[in-house]
């Protein structure tokens, strides 16, 4: 690598060297798959951002597990959750206070 070469062009040359020995149709397929992966990641990121924004506007709790329908782990009580209308008296950790 020469002193005047930027890092971006060095990465481009490495990419070209890796794909250079392959036939043209394989090069096009690899580049298309890379572009598809980039666009798919953008779509997923945008979808999550919109779901987060909708949850905030609707006043729903914004939690990653609740947002994406994953109901498991320490935050999910399942059948052990208290009924929605029931209020517990006292502060947290002080039953009966």
């Amino acid at each position: 690598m020469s002193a005047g070469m930027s890092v971006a062009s060095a990465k481009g040359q490495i990419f070209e060297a890796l794909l250079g020995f392959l036939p043209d149709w394989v090069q096009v397929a690899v580049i298309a798959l890379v572009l598809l992966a980039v666009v798919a990641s953008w779509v997923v990121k945008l979808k999550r951002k919109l779901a987060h924004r909708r949850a905030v506007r609707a006043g729903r709790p914004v939690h990653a597990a609740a947002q994406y329908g994953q109901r498991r782990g320490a935050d999910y009580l399942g059948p052990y959750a208290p009924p929605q209308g029931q209020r517990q008296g006292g502060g947290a950790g002080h039953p009966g206070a």
Side-chain angles (χ1 to χ4, degrees):
M1 185 165 76
S2 67
M5 185 182 301
S6 71
V7 176
S9 65
K11 288 181 182 178
Q13 284 186 350
I14 292 171
F15 187 70
E16 287 176 15
L18 289 174
L19 290 178
F21 67 92
L22 297 172
D24 288 341
W25 66 272
V26 176
Q27 290 179 13
V28 171
V30 168
I31 291 172
L33 287 174
V34 168
L35 288 176
L36 180 67
V38 169
V39 171
S41 71
W42 288 347
V43 168
V44 168
K45 208 180 292 187
L46 182 64
K47 188 176 176 182
R48 287 182 181 170
K49 190 175 189 178
L50 290 174
H52 181 270
R53 185 177 296 169
R54 286 186 187 130
V56 168
R57 285 186 180 174
R60 292 190 309 247
V62 181
H63 184 324
Q67 183 177 353
Y68 304 116
Q70 300 171 351
R71 297 181 175 259
R72 60 180 182 211
D75 293 334
Y76 179 62
L77 298 176
Y80 303 104
Q84 290 290 350
Q86 182 181 0
R87 237 174 224 267
Q88 295 180 355
H94 301 289

